[in-house]
């Protein structure tokens, strides 16, 4: 990834971005170029995942303008939701866990930085959680907004993340 800004965008997880903060035209050009690379190789992505969880409304508008993608895997919620004219699959955790509430929990993995032991853990987790894993095609996408509980959950999630980051800086 080539980060251009230090703007977290609409999902305040990271303060580095390839997209957030850039003009709509610059984002359209970047996305058009990336989309072209995929389609020239007969790859037609259906889901957008932002580098470092960072995107803004220009990113969303550029995705809609330059691709067929209408699903974003990011954001915090307890179920799929619809916002900014896109369907969202929430992305809340970075390792497999037993979660006892919410409908959809996704795990963010970075295979390019994983070590052999991480792949062993992943293999064991895939076996352990296999009955709970579904594909994106299995999601019943609806044009539903986040409910009040999810808005509170999102607020608390980002507050906890903020305090964890503060603690790590000490």
């Amino acid at each position: 990834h080539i980060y251009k800004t230090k703007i977290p965008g609409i999902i305040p997880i990271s303060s580095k971005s390839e997209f957030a903060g850039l003009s709509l035209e610059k984002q359209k050009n970047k996305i058009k170029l990336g989309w072209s690379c995929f389609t020239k190789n007969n790859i037609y992505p259906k889901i957008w995942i932002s580098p470092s969880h960072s995107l803004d409304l220009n990113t969303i508008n550029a995705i809609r303008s330059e691709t067929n993608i209408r699903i974003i895997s990011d954001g915090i919620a307890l179920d799929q939701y619809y916002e900014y004219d896109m369907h969202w699959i929430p992305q809340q955790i970075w390792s497999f866990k037993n979660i006892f509430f919410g409908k959809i929990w996704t795990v963010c993995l970075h295979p390019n930085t994983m070590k052999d032991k991480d792949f062993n853990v992943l293999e064991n987790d895939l076996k352990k959680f296999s009955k709970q894993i579904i594909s994106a095609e299995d999601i019943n996408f609806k044009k539903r907004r986040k409910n009040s509980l999810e808005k509170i959950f999102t607020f608390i999630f980002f507050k906890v993340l903020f305090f964890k980051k503060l603690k790590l800086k000490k």
Side-chain angles (χ1 to χ4, degrees), residues 4 10 14 20 23 29 31 38 51 53 59 62 67-68 73 84 98 102 128 143 161 167-168:
K4 297 288 187 182
I10 58 177
S14 176
S23 71
N29 288 336
I31 290 169
F38 280 119
H53 309 276
T59 315
T67 76
N68 294 329
S73 178
Y84 306 117
N98 282 312
K128 179 179 176 183
K143 288 189 175 182
L161 186 64
K167 188 177 178 182
L168 287 174

Side-chain angles (χ1 to χ4, degrees), residues 86-97:
M86 297 290 263
H87 292 282
W88 294 69
I89 302 171
Q91 196 284 294
Q92 318 88 322
I93 53 180
W94 288 264
S95 63
F96 285 86
K97 295 174 174 41

